[in-house]
């Protein structure tokens, strides 16, 4: 955990000085200490720091959501993006904008996570209901139902985007590819409020996840209320994924990769896996965002595309190993 914290701090420092305008180490230090104003202060505090904070909060939320889904479903391939949860959250946001406002600029940012949560809950209900057969949910069936549900929801989302003006349509198209767009402190405050409530609750539930991962029979014999705990944990995962999608679009594979790496580092105990996943997810999205805005300057690559380029091969590796 100490190493992960050091890596995350290093990633923040590198990201502060990454972009179209370079800041010397001395300029960066003086700006952080408040000794330098002007362009350096605007670039750091008004543009880069909000984006860095959003990237870390979104990565942490997606990673912990993925760890919870893998524990509750006993499926190491579960991920909010693969299971269609992210698509459902996106549909909730798009419907909220088109039905009530029509333009993304008019929609209050504080309500976006609520709309995303409703859409994500709808998608999760469909996926886990259809994937259950004879009181059992196999990993393959869950993945197939999730992919099919995500495709159907994405098609419905396209229908609603045609009701938008040209600017909002272009924005949604880029946003759903995984773009950190909330680059001001208002979005940071909204994300921090949701994550400050949901992340500690999720980490606190680590012991319950340990029992659920042993199987329903063993968990019930140890006195765990299986249905209630599974419902609470899934709602926490849906809330984390929904808030993340509302502020950064659909970023897949973070919820898949981060828990796997966490288990390699700290073992299978979810009391350690959840906080480790939190830091790894924050580091993954921060690194992907830094790469995306520095590789082909001045053009930015959406963070979702960078993560998919890294996560796709890893997902195939996991599928081959499970087979």
């Amino acid at each position: 955990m100490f190493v992960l914290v050091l890596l995350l701090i290093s990633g923040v420092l590198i990201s502060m000085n990454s972009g179209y305008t370079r800041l010397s180490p001395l300029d960066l230090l003086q700006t952080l200490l408040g000794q330098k104003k002007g362009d350096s202060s605007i670039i750091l505090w008004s543009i880069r720091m909000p984006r860095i904070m959003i990237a870390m909060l979104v990565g942490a939320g997606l990673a912990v959501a993925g760890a919870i889904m893998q524990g509750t479903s006993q499926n190491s391939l579960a991920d909010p993006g693969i299971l269609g949860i992210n698509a459902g959250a996106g549909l909730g946001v798009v419907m909220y904008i088109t039905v009530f406002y029509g333009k993304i600029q008019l929609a209050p940012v504080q309500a976006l996570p609520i709309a995303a949560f409703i859409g994500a809950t709808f998608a999760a209900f469909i996926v886990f209901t259809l994937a259950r057969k004879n009181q059992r949910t196999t990993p393959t069936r869950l993945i197939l139902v999730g992919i099919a549900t995500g495709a159907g929801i994405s098609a419905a989302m396209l229908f609603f985007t045609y009701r938008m003006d040209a600017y909002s349509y272009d924005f949604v198209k880029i946003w759903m590819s995984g773009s950190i767009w909330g680059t001001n402190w208002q979005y940071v405050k909204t994300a921090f409020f949701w994550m400050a409530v949901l992340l500690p609750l999720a980490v606190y539930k680590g012991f319950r996840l340990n029992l659920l991962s042993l199987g329903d029979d063993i968990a019930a014999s140890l006195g765990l209320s299986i249905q209630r705990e599974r419902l609470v944990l899934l709602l926490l995962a849906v809330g984390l994924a929904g808030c993340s999608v509302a502020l950064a679009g659909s970023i897949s594979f973070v919820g898949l990769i981060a828990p796997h790496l966490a288990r390699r580092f700290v073992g299978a105990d979810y009391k350690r896996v959840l906080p480790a996943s939190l830091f790894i997810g924050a580091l993954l999205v921060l690194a992907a965002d830094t790469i995306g805005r520095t590789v082909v300057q001045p053009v930015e690559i959406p963070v979702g595309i960078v993560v998919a380029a890294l996560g796709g091969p890893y997902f195939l590796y996991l599928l081959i190993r499970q087979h």
Side-chain angles (χ1 to χ4, degrees), residues 153-233:
I153 291 175
S154 297
M157 199 186 315
L158 284 175
F159 171 78
F160 282 98
T161 55
Y162 288 133
R163 300 178 56 184
M164 295 180 172
D165 61 286
Y167 173 83
S168 298
Y169 176 80
D170 290 338
F171 166 80
V172 169
K173 184 171 62 176
I174 297 172
W175 168 64
M176 283 313 296
S177 66
S179 175
I180 297 177
W181 62 284
T183 54
N184 65 56
W185 290 104
Q186 182 183 9
Y187 294 96
V188 175
K189 291 176 183 177
T190 301
F192 184 80
F193 170 78
W194 281 81
M195 296 300 179
V197 173
L198 297 176
L199 285 174
L201 280 174
V203 173
Y204 173 74
K205 291 286 186 178
F207 179 69
R208 273 79 171 178
L209 265 178
N210 282 336
L211 296 181
L212 286 174
S213 64
L214 297 174
D216 290 357
D217 294 337
I218 297 177
S221 67
L222 294 173
L224 187 70
S225 178
I226 297 171
Q227 298 302 325
R228 185 186 66 188
E229 291 296 339
R230 183 170 280 131
L231 177 62
V232 170
L233 285 164

Side-chain angles (χ1 to χ4, degrees), residues 256-310:
L256 175 73
I257 297 173
H260 278 270
L261 294 177
R263 281 189 283 269
R264 287 178 177 270
F265 292 151
V266 300
D269 186 352
Y270 275 96
K271 289 185 291 184
R272 298 177 181 176
V273 169
L274 290 174
S277 298
L278 186 153
F279 285 108
I280 293 172
L283 182 60
L284 280 174
V285 176
L286 178 63
D289 182 55
T290 304
I291 292 170
R293 58 190 172 89
T294 55
V295 171
V296 287
Q297 294 178 357
V299 178
E300 290 188 5
I301 303 174
V303 62
I305 295 176
V306 179
V307 174
L310 300 173

Side-chain angles (χ1 to χ4, degrees), residues 116-167:
F117 175 77
I118 295 172
T121 303
F122 170 72
F125 175 77
I126 293 176
V127 170
F128 284 95
T129 300
L130 295 179
R132 196 166 183 82
K133 185 178 182 181
N134 298 327
Q135 303 301 315
R136 292 181 67 251
T137 303
T138 63
T140 303
R141 186 177 177 85
L142 185 65
I143 295 297
L144 292 175
V145 171
I147 292 173
T149 303
I153 291 175
S154 297
M157 199 186 315
L158 284 175
F159 171 78
F160 282 98
T161 55
Y162 288 133
R163 300 178 56 184
M164 295 180 172
D165 61 286
Y167 173 83

Side-chain angles (χ1 to χ4, degrees), residues 24-110:
S24 68
L26 180 60
D27 288 342
L28 186 61
L29 180 61
Q30 289 177 338
T31 306
L32 285 173
L33 296 176
Q35 298 175 357
K36 190 167 186 176
K37 305 297 182 181
D39 292 343
S40 298
S41 180
I42 294 173
I43 290 170
L44 182 62
W45 293 111
S46 299
I47 300 174
R48 291 184 184 171
M49 281 304 295
R51 184 163 182 158
I52 289 170
M53 295 295 296
I54 289 289
M56 291 193 296
L57 290 170
V58 165
L62 290 173
V64 173
I68 291 174
M69 288 184 176
Q70 290 174 17
T72 54
S73 65
Q74 300 174 34
N75 181 1
S76 60
L77 298 178
D79 167 75
I82 297 171
L83 297 184
I85 309 300
N86 288 358
L91 178 62
V93 172
V94 170
M95 288 183 64
Y96 169 70
I97 294 170
T98 54
V99 173
F100 294 102
Y101 296 97
K103 294 185 178 181
I104 184 65
Q105 305 97 314
L106 303 177
V109 63
Q110 294 83 359

